[in-house]
Amino acid sequence: MREQGRGDRLTALLRRGPLLAVLVLYTLYTTLPFLWVGAMSLRTTAEISADHYGLPSPAHWGKFRAAWVDSNFAGYFWNSTVVVVSAVAIVTVLGAMAAHALARYRFPGNRLIYFVLFSSIIFPPQIVLLSLFQILVNYDLYNTRTGLVLVYVSLQLPLTVFILEAFFARIPQDLFEAARIDGYTDFQIFLRIVVPVGMPAIVTTVILNFVHLWNEYLFAVVLVSDEDLRTLPVGIQRFMGDYFQDIGMIATGVMIAVIPVIVVYAFFSEKLIQGMTAGAVK
Amino acid sequence: MSAPADAARLPAAAAPRRWWPAARRGERDPGAPSWLTLMAFLAPALLLYAGLTAYPVVRTFADSLYDLENMDAPRFVGLAHFVAIWSDETFLRAIRNTLVWSFVAPFLDVATGLLLALCLYAGVPFARFLRIAWFTPVLLSYVVVSILWLWIYNYDWGALNLALRALGLDGWARAWLGESSTALAALMVTHAWKWAGFNMVVCLAALHALPSEVLEAAELDHCGWAAKLRHIIIPMMRPTLLNLYILAFIGKMKVFDLVWIMTQGGPMWSTETVSTYVYKRAFAWNTFDLGYPSAIAVVWFIIVLAAAAVLHLAFRQREKLEY
Amino acid sequence: MSTTKFGWLRAGAAALGLLAAAPPVLAQPTAANPQTVTMWSHWPDEASKRTYVEGRVRAFEASNPQCRVRLSFIQKADIYTSARAAVRTGQAPDIFWLEPDEIAFARNGFLEPLDKYVDLNGLEDWARASWTHNGRVYGLPLEAYTVELYYNRDRVRALGVEVPANGQMNQAQFTDLVRRGVAAGVTPLAQGVADRPFPGAYFLEEVLLRRLGPDDYRKLLTGQLPFRDPRVMAAMTWVRELVDIGAYPRSMATLKLGESHYYFHTNPGALMFPIASWYTGRAFVPPESGGQPPGFPLGLMQYPVMDNSDCPECKTLAVGGSYVMYARSRNKDCAGALLNSFVNIESGNQWMEGVLLQTGIRTDPSRISGINAPYFRELQQRSEGARFFIGTPLQYMTGRCADTFQQVLNRALPGGQITPQDAAAQMDAACAAAPQ
């Protein structure tokens, strides 16, 4: 819009009144819940019961320490970190290798494999949930971090291959031919050309997988029963059960789960947005 | 296949910084690789897929023919579970709820996303900040979102009822998750809250990709916003919007966490979804059979694949759409 | 599933297991090392029960150096979810917490009979019966309870209503009390059903039991008497009438059990609270921990009886939280000894004194003392001359019937979301059609 004079600007502003109202309202709609919980996380339950919307004065920072230490949030955090980091690392390596093979080599069954992987993206989780439970039990992997990691890898594998294959297929053929002339083996080509060139897409899948798995609940709740092995989402949900009426403490727990995400997001917002919408944005 | 199937993505370029010409599909390495090389690249992924996706799917199909009260002594029952499913009121209700949610709610998600994207596209101040702020809920786990919204919907002190009472609409205040007439809608709103930012970002990118000449031409014609939206923007963004619809649709067919934590399918099965029902039958009822829930999973699997295929065909345009 | 099926795929999966990482190997207990018994208990939020259980476990460890106990307190719902999965896998804890409505665990062979390990004569007969399946006893019935109607003396008196000395009101008096409460802006009955499948039905159950008498009530719960029976319909119609007057909180559906306690005694406060006698577990703790305020005017009344009731003196007595032993436990000796250490009069009395709640362990109530002894005496008074019906409806129902009970009688009927006719039809369709 090209406004000229002051008067024009005013009418433009008036015309945009509803627009600005929508902006403000929607921003409040997304952010107020966080501020509310943030305030509650610093107040005691007695204070909250007296007024659910009061400000934290004085702020009870000690509640965070209490949740972290006494309620084993440290443990949940550690479990989530171990499981998710291992799963993301494995799925990235396996996915990149498979994506490379599918994108680069001509062989019978290439498209069949691609299609099968692709269609499993839409499988409802129930179709594997119960039998994965039985399988992990059969192999003594039930209630272990290893079992959960393997399941997480298999859950994210199709999507990872799918995104990476699309990207790898665009790497120009000339690069490969040049590399071959230089005497690179297939593995060297993968490591020295595909991986560096494909790094943006690999980073994207890492982010996507990380966020999905960090938030995963259904498989974590079914495949792990030991309190010491619980991941963060299950931990918070159980915490909510243990402190059923201690709203203040639950709010503290929620904030512990939210803060790391917000901090990472504050620094890498564009990267995260790009990762989470990978593939959906043309 | 976990969590939000909004996870399912389009194949299109994830390529943000592309400095080389895109190779055409099918132009693969002519130097046929040795079988060994190929397997070295593919085998780990395929093995994992076979062991932890393909085999479990097959096993679920097999399980659905058994009574598995005791995992060590399965009892073959043939198609009995499938016969029982058709007279299982709760299952039919769960199917109905899930289908309503899957078909209706994506309109809410996509429309909100498009509206927000248009606001930002109109060149408002702080657009960058707003885009980041609105996207935040996408990153949160369902557990956190559920707890937040349980409190927002609280009858006595929840933000929603408080706002209604402040506006003098006391009669509208209710236990939103406690009444069968509002519980499902309340869950849909929560789900839309989480995902609107995702749709917004995708729509915004699509808007920026629209050829600016067309929009400028419309501007010169003094075309109103509504008309521009209706005659130019929506038709041109059709592929993106349809893709988003399909993504949201698949995500909602899988929804579990949100429902399980917020309502556990109640009240009166009004928010029961297929996911929660399978879970209940397997792990929450005081029966131990895994066979019947497996049969439900099989039926649902077929319905989901069929629905996805139908949508895919129905929305199929000149350009190839995938989800 | 037979292990030979899909062998090739299994081989693949096994290869994967090796490929990724070897699963941790479980340490086998040897004679030289002490056995470690894993024990999951409910009651993370009930200080007095925790204290009692921790105390017993510590005493056991002190006198049995060959046994160690790894005790954790976990919410009931989570124990059920985890245990239900874990028992099928050989990975359940040696001892865990169950209520007798989960007797299916025993039916499926997941529980170890306690006959060999526990002095059964130290248990009350009715309590033992609740855990008996095929002639064997499967649970240590630590917690027992009666279904009571607590009330706030001051608030009721302020409405000008005098509760008779025996605590007994009739239908008309009770309806009047509810009306007065609503008119005065006080919720008559505190109740929360968000996280439990049963409390919303307590009032109806007790009224029905008195109206029908134990035999017909049992038939009703086992699907042999339809809910369309006119007496049952009359009771449900009365409940619906009370609901329409405004007897229950409007937030009932989303109020949790713990919150409903707080709702009754502190904020906003209610006239009455239909709950089991384990009320004390959450209420008799300091107010900072969610307990009732000091000097709270707690009273106990009887559930009202409808006219023509067959058994006005009837009352529900049930076994609640119990400990069971996992059938595939590798530490049965220590686990059994631990369970048996709960079964003696001292232990039972300690429970009653500390928790102020009944138990299925034989006790000597005459020796109860302590600051809350007056409450305990009133609790006992309310059961004097009572004819007990053993068990709650969920201990008689399974599968779809139990699910329907939870949705319809626990939530929808007291929530005013369903007519008595529909409620009866749904219950009959789920329970009578397929008696289990």
Side-chain angles (χ1 to χ4, degrees):
Chain A
M1 310 219 165
R2 277 149 262 143
E3 286 90 15
Q4 262 127 36
R6 255 175 185 281
D8 281 353
R9 218 168 272 177
L10 189 65
T11 44
L13 195 67
L14 286 177
R15 245 191 339 176
R16 295 172 74 175
L19 174 64
L20 290 178
V22 171
L23 293 180
V24 171
L25 284 179
Y26 198 82
T27 308
L28 293 178
Y29 179 61
T30 38
T31 51
L32 276 187
F34 293 108
L35 298 179
W36 184 33
V37 177
M40 288 204 278
S41 71
L42 293 171
R43 308 172 69 216
T44 66
T45 297
E47 288 168 3
I48 294 172
S49 305
D51 175 11
H52 284 89
Y53 296 90
L55 292 173
S57 59
H60 300 273
W61 294 100
K63 288 176 62 196
F64 278 84
R65 201 200 58 81
W68 185 259
V69 180
D70 304 342
S71 297
N72 200 20
F73 260 83
Y76 301 150
F77 217 94
W78 172 243
N79 291 334
S80 269
T81 309
V82 170
V83 169
V84 174
V85 168
S86 330
V88 170
I90 297 175
V91 79
T92 306
V93 173
L94 296 193
M97 283 167 34
H100 171 65
L102 291 174
R104 194 50 49 193
Y105 300 127
R106 232 195 273 263
F107 60 93
N110 181 316
R111 288 298 92 184
L112 178 69
I113 293 175
Y114 177 80
F115 178 77
V116 167
L117 280 178
F118 170 54
S119 47
S120 32
I121 291 176
I122 63 169
F123 285 5
Q126 298 80 21
I127 196 71
V128 291
L129 180 69
L130 302 180
S131 42
L132 274 178
F133 168 71
Q134 300 172 55
I135 291 165
L136 293 198
V137 168
N138 292 154
Y139 289 100
D140 277 341
L141 289 169
Y142 171 75
N143 208 6
T144 62
R145 291 201 190 98
T146 314
L148 196 58
V149 167
L150 286 177
V151 169
Y152 278 1
V153 171
S154 78
L155 287 180
Q156 296 301 111
L157 186 71
L159 185 55
T160 309
V161 173
F162 187 54
I163 292 175
L164 292 181
E165 198 268 353
F167 194 99
F168 291 171
R170 285 159 200 268
I171 299 177
Q173 196 58 40
D174 314 354
L175 279 178
F176 293 93
E177 273 150 27
R180 213 174 279 287
I181 291 167
D182 288 348
Y184 279 31
T185 65
D186 285 285
F187 263 103
Q188 283 169 328
I189 289 178
F190 175 67
L191 283 179
R192 303 220 182 136
I193 297 185
V194 174
V195 171
V197 171
M199 201 38 88
I202 293 177
V203 170
T204 295
T205 57
V206 166
I207 291 173
L208 185 70
N209 289 333
F210 197 93
V211 174
H212 281 169
L213 294 180
W214 187 261
N215 291 339
E216 206 286 327
Y217 173 78
L218 176 59
F219 287 86
V221 86
V222 171
L223 301 180
V224 167
S225 67
D226 193 333
E227 150 132 40
D228 296 339
L229 295 177
R230 281 179 200 155
T231 57
L232 206 48
V234 185
I236 303 167
Q237 194 257 334
R238 304 263 154 122
F239 184 74
M240 182 167 77
D242 291 353
Y243 289 81
F244 59 90
Q245 57 195 8
D246 197 345
I247 297 169
M249 215 57 205
I250 299 171
T252 310
V254 167
M255 283 316 280
I256 289 182
V258 169
I259 287 170
V261 178
I262 300 288
V263 168
V264 173
Y265 186 52
F267 286 102
F268 304 102
S269 45
E270 278 311 317
K271 209 64 200 159
L272 276 170
I273 291 179
Q274 186 203 319
M276 289 298 289
T277 55
V281 177
K282 294 227 178 197
Chain B
M1 149 183 2
S2 77
D6 302 54
R9 304 294 142 161
L10 312 175
R17 285 177 272 148
R18 173 147 45 83
W19 46 268
W20 54 84
R24 263 176 292 124
R25 292 238 154 213
E27 195 180 304
R28 288 163 211 289
D29 197 337
S34 74
W35 201 78
L36 199 66
T37 316
L38 197 59
M39 272 301 118
F41 280 115
L42 269 178
L46 287 186
L47 259 179
L48 194 90
Y49 183 85
L52 292 175
T53 303
Y55 169 49
V57 170
V58 173
R59 181 150 173 182
T60 303
F61 272 81
D63 280 352
S64 68
L65 305 176
Y66 286 84
D67 182 309
L68 279 173
E69 282 244 334
N70 182 345
M71 270 167 62
D72 299 328
R75 196 162 54 81
F76 186 77
V77 295
L79 294 174
H81 291 317
F82 292 94
V83 174
I85 279 178
W86 296 119
S87 53
D88 183 339
E89 287 265 349
T90 315
F91 175 69
L92 299 179
R93 236 183 281 216
I95 292 252
R96 208 177 52 218
N97 289 337
T98 316
L99 288 180
V100 166
W101 194 341
S102 306
F103 277 104
V104 176
F107 285 109
L108 183 64
D109 292 20
V110 178
T112 317
L114 179 60
L115 182 74
L116 295 175
L118 286 171
C119 288
L120 295 187
Y121 188 67
V124 295
F126 308 116
R128 205 182 105 81
F129 165 78
L130 292 177
R131 175 164 164 273
I132 292 173
W134 294 349
F135 192 79
T136 322
V138 176
L139 300 171
L140 298 183
S141 70
Y142 277 114
V143 177
V144 166
V145 172
S146 305
I147 296 176
L148 279 181
W149 280 83
L150 274 174
W151 289 342
I152 290 174
Y153 287 135
N154 184 290
Y155 177 77
D156 294 304
W157 46 265
L160 179 55
N161 281 347
L162 211 75
L164 289 173
R165 289 181 190 123
L167 293 171
L169 297 169
D170 295 49
W172 290 21
R174 63 188 67 237
W176 296 93
L177 295 171
E179 295 182 17
S180 27
S181 51
T182 54
L184 187 62
L187 290 185
M188 287 185 194
V189 169
T190 307
H191 207 260
W193 180 82
K194 177 165 159 61
W195 287 107
F198 177 88
N199 292 293
M200 178 267 298
V201 165
V202 177
C203 286
L204 190 60
L207 276 171
H208 282 305
L210 290 183
S212 52
E213 311 87 55
V214 182
L215 292 175
E216 272 163 22
E219 195 115 343
L220 290 179
D221 291 347
H222 294 289
C223 198
W225 258 108
K228 213 155 76 176
L229 186 65
R230 186 157 162 255
H231 295 298
I232 302 176
I233 296 179
I234 292 187
M236 290 188 73
M237 285 181 61
R238 203 180 139 88
T240 304
L241 296 178
L242 292 182
N243 273 331
L244 284 176
Y245 182 91
I246 297 183
L247 283 182
F249 174 84
I250 296 169
K252 285 156 189 22
M253 297 283 264
K254 298 182 183 177
V255 69
F256 170 80
D257 313 13
L258 190 77
V259 184
W260 186 248
I261 297 167
M262 290 183 77
T263 64
Q264 305 215 333
M268 291 271 284
W269 305 282
S270 63
T271 58
E272 195 80 78
T273 63
V274 180
S275 308
T276 56
Y277 188 51
V278 169
Y279 182 84
K280 268 188 195 174
R281 289 301 297 249
F283 299 109
W285 279 26
N286 56 4
T287 50
F288 285 87
D289 178 31
L290 286 182
Y292 188 78
S294 296
I296 299 176
V298 165
V299 170
W300 186 237
F301 177 70
I302 292 166
I303 293 179
V304 170
L305 288 195
V310 165
L311 278 184
H312 179 70
L313 291 177
F315 289 164
R316 196 167 188 139
Q317 296 290 295
R318 206 152 28 89
E319 71 263 74
K320 194 167 162 251
L321 261 180
E322 292 171 70
Y323 31 85
Chain C
M1 195 86 328
S2 74
T3 36
T4 49
K5 216 184 257 177
F6 313 123
W8 59 279
L9 275 170
R10 272 164 182 272
L16 278 172
L18 293 174
L19 196 128
V25 179
L26 286 165
Q28 289 288 338
T30 62
N33 297 328
Q35 278 191 340
T36 299
V37 176
T38 306
M39 177 171 181
W40 289 354
S41 178
H42 177 41
W43 304 321
D45 54 345
E46 294 176 64
S48 55
K49 291 177 191 168
R50 277 185 77 142
T51 312
Y52 167 82
V53 175
E54 280 165 348
R56 296 303 316 173
V57 166
R58 263 199 302 274
F60 170 78
E61 281 182 317
S63 54
N64 294 274
Q66 79 282 16
C67 302
R68 287 272 150 274
V69 184
R70 195 166 149 243
L71 172 65
S72 23
F73 291 92
I74 305 170
Q75 272 295 323
K76 170 177 169 175
D78 301 329
I79 293 185
Y80 280 15
T81 310
S82 300
R84 220 183 294 278
V87 288
R88 294 185 259 213
T89 69
Q91 305 236 352
D94 304 298
I95 297 179
F96 55 100
W97 187 100
L98 278 187
E99 284 183 280
D101 55 345
E102 296 291 340
I103 192 81
F105 276 88
R107 268 206 303 274
N108 285 282
F110 295 129
L111 301 186
E112 178 76 9
L114 299 182
D115 307 46
K116 277 204 301 214
Y117 302 98
V118 168
D119 170 21
L120 295 180
N121 293 319
L123 304 178
E124 302 278 2
D125 295 341
W126 50 267
R128 212 167 46 206
S130 287
W131 271 114
T132 301
H133 172 67
N134 279 348
R136 308 273 203 115
V137 178
Y138 287 90
L140 175 78
L142 179 56
E143 179 188 50
Y145 58 85
T146 45
V147 178
E148 298 292 344
L149 185 56
Y150 292 88
Y151 72 105
N152 181 324
R153 290 177 195 275
D154 292 355
R155 279 189 192 262
V156 169
R157 197 173 305 124
L159 296 175
V161 174
E162 208 47 59
V163 177
N166 66 356
Q168 186 64 67
M169 288 194 183
N170 64 26
Q171 188 173 349
Q173 288 167 323
F174 191 84
T175 308
D176 177 59
L177 174 59
V178 167
R179 264 187 222 289
R180 288 185 193 219
V182 172
V186 184
T187 306
L189 296 165
Q191 199 92 91
V193 297
D195 59 344
R196 289 293 188 277
F198 52 80
Y202 271 153
F203 187 86
L204 176 66
E205 277 162 49
E206 291 301 304
V207 167
L208 273 175
L209 167 61
R210 288 158 173 80
R211 177 72 187 86
L212 298 176
D215 297 338
D216 278 3
Y217 182 62
R218 180 185 304 272
K219 283 188 191 158
L220 180 73
L221 300 186
T222 49
Q224 297 159 49
L225 179 75
F227 278 80
R228 270 170 309 218
D229 182 280
R231 294 167 296 170
V232 181
M233 286 304 299
M236 289 205 283
T237 308
W238 183 37
V239 167
R240 179 63 204 243
E241 184 195 338
L242 296 176
V243 169
D244 289 339
I245 296 172
Y248 288 105
R250 284 200 59 186
S251 53
M252 182 176 72
T254 50
L255 212 59
K256 297 187 175 181
L257 178 69
E259 292 168 336
S260 66
H261 284 61
Y262 194 76
Y263 189 104
F264 167 60
H265 56 60
T266 304
N267 186 19
L271 291 183
M272 295 169 276
F273 187 28
I275 204 73
S277 54
W278 34 251
Y279 170 75
T280 52
R282 291 181 180 82
F284 286 25
V285 296
E288 310 87 82
S289 317
Q292 61 183 29
F296 182 73
L298 183 69
L300 273 162
M301 65 166 97
Q302 300 284 18
Y303 278 87
V305 286
M306 298 183 74
D307 309 331
N308 307 320
S309 279
D310 282 0
C311 180
E313 73 280 13
C314 271
K315 183 159 192 160
T316 299
L317 170 65
V319 170
S322 310
Y323 292 117
V324 296
M325 197 197 300
Y326 182 34
R328 284 151 76 180
S329 160
R330 298 188 195 132
N331 306 303
K332 286 182 186 163
D333 295 338
C334 275
L338 172 59
L339 288 180
N340 197 37
S341 78
F342 281 84
V343 185
N344 54 64
I345 289 183
E346 283 70 21
S347 162
N349 274 13
Q350 217 179 1
W351 165 271
M352 291 212 291
E353 261 170 40
V355 186
L356 297 165
L357 183 54
Q358 301 94 329
T359 172
I361 298 167
R362 278 197 210 280
T363 51
D364 183 357
S366 64
R367 299 195 332 224
I368 296 287
S369 61
I371 50 164
N372 284 308
Y375 163 80
F376 202 75
R377 269 196 290 282
E378 188 176 4
L379 179 66
Q380 285 183 308
Q381 247 172 35
R382 286 286 163 266
S383 292
E384 262 163 34
R387 207 167 132 203
F388 287 118
F389 178 82
I390 307 296
T392 60
L394 285 178
Q395 296 177 8
Y396 291 85
M397 299 169 170
T398 55
R400 177 166 314 287
C401 181
D403 190 45
T404 308
F405 173 86
Q406 153 172 10
Q407 296 284 353
V408 171
L409 294 190
N410 177 46
R411 293 187 179 200
L413 186 66
Q417 307 233 338
I418 194 171
T419 62
Q421 288 74 23
D422 286 348
Q426 298 227 21
M427 287 304 293
D428 285 339
C431 300
Q436 306 208 13

